[in-house]
Amino acid sequence: MNMVVNCWDFDSFNSMVDLKVEKIRIGIKGFSSRFQGYFKIEDLKKLIKNKGKSKISVCINNFFREDELPSLIETIKKISLLKIDEISFGDLGVCQIIYENNISIKMHYNPETIITNYEQLYFFQNNNINYFTISNVLMKHEVFEFLSRKNNASLEMQVFGHTLFMFSRWPLISNFDNYLKSKNKSLPKKKFYIIKEDTRDIPNYIFEDESGTSMYSGFILNLSKQMKILKEKKLDYIFIESIFKDLNWLKKVVVLFKKVIADDINGETAYKELELLDPNITNSESFLGDVTNLPSFQRKDNES
């Protein structure tokens, strides 16, 4: 079982190399979204030189318009000339570009929320894609079925952090702010906003960047108690999401999960220690735990 984390600057990258994280995922400015910071193509040589035994995954997870394709093609070609271990993508146009230009590079298909059927794997495997991120809203028996039928594919799954559940290319926050300005009001400028329905117990996080608008769960997914069985079922990669968090937080989480993987501490102990990192935020096993008590479904009026 290997670990994957997102890094957003040289400090976070070097720290994850020092912690011997197996795979470090980075974003490229203008082509990636949902990272706390982005690298330039010119930075990749320095990252490669300092990566140690870690692998580098370049994440191109924007969804692209027709007019953006020329610069996308040029960027993919530049990345392919470097010793980058893989490209992670969500827009199928990325793999089409790779095929049409006979580019030799490993691909990781990560649509983030929509791989919910193991039959999808077989289609992509027939097209030389063998590494996938499965949805974070699968129930435990569904995850196990994926792992039993993966047919030599490598599967990745988020095990910790806030979870993405909505993305739109529209600048929804800006549009709302424009509406408020028409009423002589405005939104305060923030990196992200907390939004909550009146009848819900748990809020959600929402932010806008150049690629569009993203919404994340207000609770933290914590699957540390499920690590033993996921390891036994041969999950290949675990992903730790660090958005909204700082480097010190990420280092503590990585160390704890490495201890769980190595059986130095059990999942129950790790769960409690991880909860202490954000004592005011609910931790949950979500769909892999008690599905009758999902944080996102809890309502003050006791309705579901």
Side-chain angles (χ1 to χ4, degrees):
M1 179 179 280
N2 298 303
M3 185 181 296
V4 185
V5 300
N6 287 346
C7 286
W8 55 92
D9 57 21
F10 286 105
D11 285 343
S12 59
F13 181 87
N14 292 332
S15 294
M16 294 303 103
V17 171
D18 290 342
L19 288 173
K20 296 180 172 54
V21 171
E22 288 83 4
K23 185 171 292 186
I24 299 172
R25 192 160 289 142
I26 63 168
I28 300 296
K29 185 172 178 56
F31 299 90
S32 312
S33 57
R34 294 180 290 282
F35 283 77
Q36 296 189 64
Y38 299 91
F39 292 92
K40 299 176 182 178
I41 291 292
E42 301 80 56
D43 296 327
L44 295 182
K45 288 184 179 180
K46 184 176 179 180
L47 295 178
I48 292 168
K49 181 179 179 181
N50 296 311
K51 72 173 188 173
K53 293 184 178 180
S54 300
K55 292 184 177 181
I56 298 176
S57 173
V58 174
C59 184
I60 300 181
N61 61 338
N62 279 2
F63 288 89
F64 299 93
R65 299 188 303 267
E66 194 76 20
D67 61 299
E68 297 171 322
L69 293 182
S71 61
L72 175 61
I73 293 170
E74 181 182 358
T75 297
I76 292 174
K77 286 181 176 179
K78 287 180 179 179
I79 292 171
S80 70
L81 296 176
L82 302 170
K83 293 182 179 179
I84 293 297
D85 296 287
E86 71 183 25
I87 284 181
S88 177
F89 69 95
D91 189 328
L92 293 175
V94 172
C95 67
Q96 186 66 27
I97 288 169
I98 289 172
Y99 292 147
E100 289 180 355
N101 290 271
N102 295 314
I103 293 171
S104 178
I105 192 167
K106 289 184 178 180
M107 290 181 281
H108 165 226
Y109 182 41
N110 179 17
E112 298 190 81
T113 60
I114 64 173
I115 294 188
T116 57
N117 186 323
Y118 62 83
E119 293 284 354
Q120 293 172 264
L121 306 185
Y122 304 152
F123 169 80
F124 289 104
Q125 283 182 299
N126 288 335
N127 289 277
N128 298 317
I129 300 173
N130 291 293
Y131 179 18
F132 312 88
T133 291
I134 60 176
S135 172
N136 55 29
V137 295
L138 295 172
M139 294 185 180
K140 185 182 290 188
H141 73 276
E142 294 172 319
V143 172
F144 291 172
E145 187 166 25
F146 257 99
L147 295 172
S148 68
R149 296 175 178 267
K150 62 179 183 175
N151 192 29
N152 297 318
S154 293
L155 296 186
E156 179 182 316
M157 179 178 173
Q158 183 179 347
V159 297
F160 197 74
H162 295 278
T163 60
L164 174 74
F165 67 86
M166 189 282 292
F167 171 74
S168 170
R169 283 216 61 167
W170 291 98
L172 301 180
I173 295 174
S174 295
N175 288 347
F176 181 60
D177 191 36
N178 289 334
Y179 164 77
L180 289 178
K181 287 176 180 176
S182 73
K183 305 292 184 180
N184 296 316
K185 301 177 182 179
S186 64
L187 282 174
K189 299 299 181 183
K190 296 182 179 181
K191 289 185 177 179
F192 64 89
Y193 298 85
I194 296 176
I195 183 171
K196 187 170 81 69
E197 298 175 53
D198 288 341
T199 59
R200 299 287 182 186
D201 291 334
I202 304 294
N204 296 310
Y205 292 12
I206 186 170
F207 69 92
E208 180 183 303
D209 57 19
E210 293 177 357
S211 65
T213 307
S214 299
M215 187 176 288
Y216 281 77
S217 65
F219 69 89
I220 290 176
L221 176 69
N222 186 344
L223 298 184
S224 53
K225 290 189 287 189
Q226 303 292 336
M227 289 294 291
K228 183 176 181 180
I229 187 65
L230 291 174
K231 184 178 176 181
E232 290 174 355
K233 297 288 185 179
K234 300 189 184 305
L235 177 64
D236 302 281
Y237 292 94
I238 60 168
F239 172 60
I240 294 171
E241 174 61 86
S242 56
I243 198 163
F244 313 121
K245 308 301 181 183
D246 60 23
L247 178 55
N248 187 50
W249 180 95
L250 178 58
K251 289 193 286 188
K252 290 178 180 178
V253 173
V254 166
V255 169
L256 280 169
F257 269 92
K258 279 192 167 288
K259 287 181 178 179
V260 175
I261 293 172
D263 295 323
D264 292 335
I265 60 174
N266 61 46
E268 293 280 350
T269 300
Y271 193 98
K272 293 175 182 177
E273 290 192 34
L274 289 163
E275 281 186 307
L276 294 175
L277 296 179
D278 296 281
N280 297 318
I281 301 178
T282 299
N283 277 228
S284 172
E285 294 186 302
S286 191
F287 289 92
L288 265 73
D290 180 5
V291 295
T292 65
N293 194 32
L294 293 171
S296 295
F297 296 165
Q298 293 175 11
R299 296 174 62 129
K300 291 181 180 179
D301 56 6
N302 294 320
E303 294 182 11
S304 59

